[in-house]
Amino acid sequence: MSTTGTDARRQRRTVDPEIARSWLLVNGTRPEVFDAARASRADQVILDIEDAVDPAKKDGARADVLAWLQAGNRAWVRINDRSTPFWNDDVAELAGVPGLEGVLLAKTEAAEHVTETFDRLGGAVPVLALIESAVGIEAAVAIAGARGAFRLAFGSGDYRRDTGTSADDLAMAYPRSRLVVASRVGNLPGPIDGPTVGTSHGVLREQSQTTVALGMTGKLCLDVGQLPVINEVISPTPSDVAWARDFLADFEARGRVIRDGSDLPRLGRAQKIEKLATAFGVDPL
C-alpha cells in the first residue's frame, strides 16, 4: 500500500478525541505493531509505556515510542504515574515531541498530578486523567477541574484490586457514575470506561451498553477485534439519527418556534445525535 493511501485511511478513521469512542492501548515494547494500530478502526491510539511494560524495559519502550512519533506519526501515550521516578523521565522526554496528541496519566489521584504533568509538557498537551483507585474516585471532581485536564478515564481493573469490588455492573456503577458527574461539573467531555477483558463479543456488547447507559462516552480496549463493537454501541443508532434529522427538519420548517416545555430538551438531544452521526458516519434507516 502506498504511503498516500495509508495516510488517507488514517485520516478517515481518526475521530476528534473529545468524542472518541474507542481508545486502543498498544504495548510500547512492540513498535512493529504501531503502524497497524494507527491504521485500525480505533478512534484514538494510546501507546502504553506504563502497566504494559516491565520496569527494566521502560527506557527502551519510551525510546521506541519517541522514534515513531518523531517519524511523523501521531498518537497518545500512557505515561507512568506521578509517584514513580519514571514519570519525570516520561514528561522530560515527551515535552515538545511532534506527533504527541496527548498523554494518559496513570493512577491519577489529585488535581496537582494533572497540572504538574500539563506544565512539564509545555502547557499545551492535553492530559487524560486515568483514575484507578478509591482516592482517585473521591478526588474526581477536583481532578476534572484541574488545569490541563481533558477527559477522565476509568482504570477499572486497578480500581477493583484497590477496593476489592467485583466486576458486577451494580458494584461498578458508583465509580462510573462518579466520573460522569465529575466530568459534567468540570465541563469536560464524557468519561472513558475501562476495558473489557476477554474475547466474547457478547460480553463486550453488554458491557459497552452499560458504559452508554451510565453516561460514559468512550471505552479503552486492548484488542483491535473489539473496535467494531465498541464503535457501534457507543454511536447513535440509525433509528436515532432518523428521528433527530426528522425533528430538526420539522423544527426549521416551523420557524424554530418552541411549542412546549419538551421541545428544548428534544432539540438538544437531536443536535447532539446529528453531531455524532456526522462525525461517526452513521446514516439513518
Side-chain angles (χ1 to χ4, degrees):
M1 177 180 293
S2 70
T3 301
T4 301
T6 300
D7 289 344
R9 182 166 63 172
R10 288 174 183 169
Q11 183 64 33
R12 284 198 305 273
R13 291 181 178 172
T14 298
V15 173
D16 189 311
E18 287 194 356
I19 58 171
R21 303 155 297 180
S22 52
W23 294 74
L24 178 64
L25 284 160
V26 181
N27 192 318
T29 64
R30 299 191 62 201
E32 71 277 7
V33 304
F34 291 176
D35 285 341
R38 182 66 276 171
S40 74
R41 297 178 184 273
D43 285 348
Q44 296 291 329
V45 171
I46 305 170
L47 306 180
D48 188 0
I49 56 175
E50 194 244 350
D51 265 2
V53 180
D54 184 87
K57 297 181 178 180
K58 287 188 185 288
D59 289 345
R62 189 188 306 112
D64 286 339
V65 166
L66 287 168
W68 190 78
L69 293 174
Q70 290 166 337
N73 300 292
R74 303 190 66 82
W76 292 68
V77 177
R78 173 156 81 162
I79 63 174
N80 291 276
D81 71 88
R82 180 65 184 85
S83 68
T84 70
F86 303 113
W87 174 87
N88 189 66
D89 292 337
D90 290 345
V91 294
E93 296 193 35
L94 284 167
V97 171
L100 180 65
E101 298 274 15
V103 297
L104 176 64
L105 178 61
K107 300 176 177 64
T108 307
E109 293 190 330
E112 307 87 78
H113 295 174
V114 172
T115 302
E116 289 174 13
T117 300
F118 182 67
D119 289 346
R120 285 288 302 275
L121 288 170
V125 176
V127 178
L128 236 172
L130 184 61
I131 297 179
E132 309 182 68
S133 66
V135 170
I137 289 294
E138 290 307 288
V141 171
I143 292 169
R147 179 165 40 83
F150 178 70
R151 281 176 83 173
L152 305 182
F154 186 29
S156 49
D158 279 339
Y159 174 82
R160 290 197 300 271
R161 284 190 288 273
D162 182 51
T163 61
T165 306
S166 77
D168 180 80
D169 288 344
L170 180 60
M172 298 294 280
Y174 171 73
R176 287 182 169 125
S177 296
R178 177 82 173 171
L179 296 183
V180 170
V181 171
S183 296
R184 183 67 189 92
V185 171
N187 199 31
L188 301 183
I192 300 161
D193 202 0
T196 293
V197 179
T199 59
S200 170
H201 277 193
V203 171
L204 174 63
R205 183 172 294 277
E206 288 178 5
Q207 293 193 359
S208 298
Q209 289 168 340
T210 298
T211 294
V212 173
L214 289 173
M216 306 184 92
T217 58
K219 190 169 175 65
L220 298 170
C221 65
L222 308 173
D223 184 344
V224 294
Q226 295 183 332
L227 296 170
V229 175
I230 292 171
N231 288 343
E232 177 192 345
V233 174
I234 304 183
S235 296
T237 66
S239 58
D240 284 340
V241 177
W243 169 83
R245 292 184 178 170
D246 288 348
F247 178 87
L248 292 172
D250 178 67
F251 185 65
E252 292 294 334
R254 54 185 158 88
R256 303 180 64 83
V257 173
I258 301 298
R259 297 170 301 187
D260 55 47
S262 68
D263 262 359
L264 281 177
R266 288 194 295 168
L267 176 61
R269 178 170 180 261
Q271 290 172 330
K272 180 178 180 180
I273 290 172
E274 171 63 13
K275 175 186 176 182
L276 295 177
T278 300
F280 302 149
V282 181
D283 295 321
L285 288 172

